[in-house]
Amino acid sequence: MIDKKYKELYQQMAEEGHFGGGPRPFEWKIARKLFRKMQCSTLLDYGCGAGKQWNSKKVAEWGKLKPTLYDPAFAEHAKLPKQNFDMIMSTDVLEHIPDYTLPSVVRYCTSHVRKAQYHFIANRPAMKELPNGENAHCSQQPLEWWVDLFEMHSVVKVPTILHLFSYKNNRKIVKLWFKS
C-alpha cells in the first residue's frame, strides 16, 4: 500500500530516531471522545510511529484498550492488520503518503472499520525533510481535496472526523457521515 521509495525513506528516518509517535493533547482529546461516543472497544493506530505513546497510563485513559499498532517504517509494527476495528485513527500520517497511493489507504481504512474514524492531517510543509531532500509532507492538499478523497474512496461510510491543521493554529474539523 505504501510506495516502496517512501517506505525506505521513512524507515531510514525511523532508524535515525524520527517519528516517535504520539498525538498532541488536543488530538487525543477529540479521538478519545469519538472512541467513547461510538462505544468502541478496539482501535487501530494507523501510522503509529514507534508506538511509545500507548503507555499504560494512556491505555487506561481509553478504558484499558489494547490498541493495534501499524507503521511500515517500524519493523515491530510493519504488518498491516487484516482484522476489522471499531475505530481507526491516524495522527500526522496521511500527509506523509503520496497523493497517488492515498485512495488505497482510504479504501483499506474504510473496509476495516466498524464504527468510527479520526484522521488528523497537518496541511502544511513539515519541519523535517526526507533523506532525499523532499519535504516529509508530500501530500499538502486543501480541506476540500481530503473530503473528496474520503467521499470517493470510502468502502464503508462510518462517522469520520477529518481534522486539518495549518500554520498559526488554524484548525478545521469536518465531520462526515454523522447522523443528525
Side-chain angles (χ1 to χ4, degrees), residues 142-152 162 174 176-177:
L143 174 64
E144 298 77 20
W145 186 91
W146 291 101
V147 170
D148 288 347
L149 175 74
F150 274 82
E151 287 181 343
M152 287 190 303
L162 300 180
V174 174
L176 301 174
W177 309 302

Side-chain angles (χ1 to χ4, degrees), residues 109-161:
C109 289
T110 61
S111 65
H112 287 82
V113 68
R114 288 186 289 259
K115 295 184 178 183
Q117 297 184 93
Y118 172 78
H119 300 284
F120 175 86
I121 304 162
N123 194 21
R124 60 186 169 142
M127 291 186 266
K128 298 175 185 173
E129 288 187 346
L130 297 171
N132 67 358
E134 288 180 49
N135 191 277
H137 288 174
C138 56
S139 291
Q140 298 172 46
Q141 300 292 346
L143 174 64
E144 298 77 20
W145 186 91
W146 291 101
V147 170
D148 288 347
L149 175 74
F150 274 82
E151 287 181 343
M152 287 190 303
H153 297 285
S154 291
V155 175
V156 174
K157 295 184 177 180
V158 299
T160 299
I161 294 177

Side-chain angles (χ1 to χ4, degrees), residues 1-163:
M1 193 170 340
I2 187 169
D3 182 284
K4 183 179 176 182
K5 168 187 145 186
Y6 285 94
K7 182 178 180 179
E8 290 171 358
L9 292 168
Y10 285 114
Q11 284 173 331
Q12 182 180 341
M13 290 184 75
E15 289 168 8
E16 295 169 0
H18 300 279
F19 309 120
R24 291 175 271 296
F26 63 86
E27 297 168 44
W28 277 115
K29 184 178 179 181
I30 294 169
R32 189 174 60 239
K33 184 177 178 181
L34 178 62
F35 184 84
R36 288 179 177 159
K37 177 181 179 176
M38 300 305 296
Q39 300 177 344
C40 298
S41 60
T42 60
L43 175 108
L44 172 62
D45 186 344
Y46 188 98
C48 64
K52 294 177 183 174
Q53 67 273 22
W54 290 105
N55 58 43
S56 58
K57 180 183 176 196
K58 193 58 69 180
V59 169
E61 289 174 9
W62 285 65
K64 300 192 188 219
L65 163 75
K66 183 176 185 330
T68 299
L69 307 178
Y70 170 70
D71 196 308
F74 291 82
E76 63 273 24
H77 306 306
K79 186 174 179 184
L80 189 63
K82 292 185 181 351
Q83 73 267 34
N84 292 338
F85 300 91
D86 288 342
M87 183 169 154
I88 294 178
M89 68 180 275
S90 69
T91 56
D92 195 8
V93 172
L94 298 181
E95 66 275 17
H96 290 272
I97 301 171
D99 293 356
Y100 56 87
T101 60
L102 280 166
S104 66
V105 172
V106 170
R107 283 191 295 274
Y108 169 83
C109 289
T110 61
S111 65
H112 287 82
V113 68
R114 288 186 289 259
K115 295 184 178 183
Q117 297 184 93
Y118 172 78
H119 300 284
F120 175 86
I121 304 162
N123 194 21
R124 60 186 169 142
M127 291 186 266
K128 298 175 185 173
E129 288 187 346
L130 297 171
N132 67 358
E134 288 180 49
N135 191 277
H137 288 174
C138 56
S139 291
Q140 298 172 46
Q141 300 292 346
L143 174 64
E144 298 77 20
W145 186 91
W146 291 101
V147 170
D148 288 347
L149 175 74
F150 274 82
E151 287 181 343
M152 287 190 303
H153 297 285
S154 291
V155 175
V156 174
K157 295 184 177 180
V158 299
T160 299
I161 294 177
L162 300 180
H163 184 173

